[in-house]
Amino acid sequence: VPSGGMALTSNGGTNVAKFDNSWTGQIEGPRPPNFRSDGSYTVEAWVKHTWTAQDVATAKQQDATNTAGIDKASRTVLGLNDSVFNPLVLGYRAEKDANGVWRPKWQFIIVQPDTTMAVPHATGLYIDGAQDNVWTHLTGTYDASTKTMCVSASTDTKQFTKLCQDGINAFAGSTPTEDLVIGRGMWTGRVSDVWYGDIRGVRVYSGVLDTQRISADTVVDHP
């Protein structure tokens, strides 16, 4: 169910969800019945993070350390509609590097079972070099048998290095049957990290897909 500052559009049979910068857009819908965030899974989406010349100029004015004028906000493409924490987050964020320079990144976050409102605990993987206004395919996986999370990203011209980390325990959520939510996050009981830009081809699977199957989805869903 779409609501807030977003619109569903179709162009030549391609359906795209377009989110404005009002921090109000979202789409909510049922998850697959056998999908659990503490089980093995794969999540995918084509995304385009919007950031205009005016956005760049405004960002520079607001923060003198942001010399490139990048979007410093975190942005959620896909999560689960938990009332306290999204158990998983696929999306965008910005971080300062060792030299204090803001760098845009693609992110995949898994919340840990011991997280609390007072002490949130999550593990994130971040791919440096996220590009604005460029369609990018993001994939996050979690293998419950090996406790391994991975994130990958690609555009039509670039394949980013896949990142993985093992030893990760995953949070089932406050209510393990909560809906999927596209375009916004939830952190310490508050709506957060609303997407700005376009989203296409969201897919959610139980189990970890192999590279060949993910590549096939990338082609089928290409915007």
Side-chain angles (χ1 to χ4, degrees), residues 59-194:
K60 289 179 178 179
Q61 291 173 351
Q62 291 176 342
D63 181 358
T65 71
N66 189 4
T67 55
I70 72 166
D71 184 4
K72 297 196 303 182
S74 292
R75 307 280 184 177
T76 296
V77 173
L78 174 67
L80 293 171
N81 194 24
D82 191 81
S83 61
V84 183
F85 294 97
N86 281 137
L88 65 95
V89 177
L90 187 68
Y92 163 98
R93 72 178 292 139
E95 291 184 329
K96 280 186 176 181
D97 64 17
N99 297 316
V101 177
W102 286 97
R103 303 187 66 87
K105 302 182 179 186
W106 300 119
Q107 71 172 355
F108 179 46
I109 293 174
I110 289 179
V111 173
Q112 310 294 289
D114 62 353
T115 197
T116 65
M117 287 280 281
V119 186
H121 184 198
T123 299
L125 295 176
Y126 309 105
I127 296 176
D128 196 21
Q131 296 170 275
D132 299 328
N133 310 307
V134 174
W135 279 108
T136 304
H137 189 262
L138 302 181
T139 303
T141 63
Y142 179 68
D143 188 331
S145 64
T146 61
K147 300 186 182 302
T148 302
M149 63 183 293
C150 297
V151 63
S152 58
S154 63
T155 69
D156 287 348
T157 60
K158 182 174 183 178
Q159 178 70 53
F160 292 88
T161 300
K162 182 178 180 178
L163 302 178
C164 294
Q165 185 169 336
D166 57 16
I168 305 301
N169 294 308
F171 177 48
S174 303
T175 306
T177 57
E178 67 267 349
D179 286 344
L180 296 172
V181 63
I182 297 170
R184 67 124 171 108
M186 177 68 71
W187 197 253
T188 60
R190 294 176 292 180
V191 171
S192 65
D193 304 350
V194 180

Side-chain angles (χ1 to χ4, degrees), residues 20 24 30 36 40 47 50 69 108 112 128 130 149 174 189 192 205 213 217:
D20 64 23
T24 61
R36 288 183 62 96
S40 297
V47 306
T50 295
F108 179 46
Q112 310 294 289
D128 196 21
M149 63 183 293
S174 303
S192 65
Y205 299 96
R213 178 60 187 276
D217 287 346

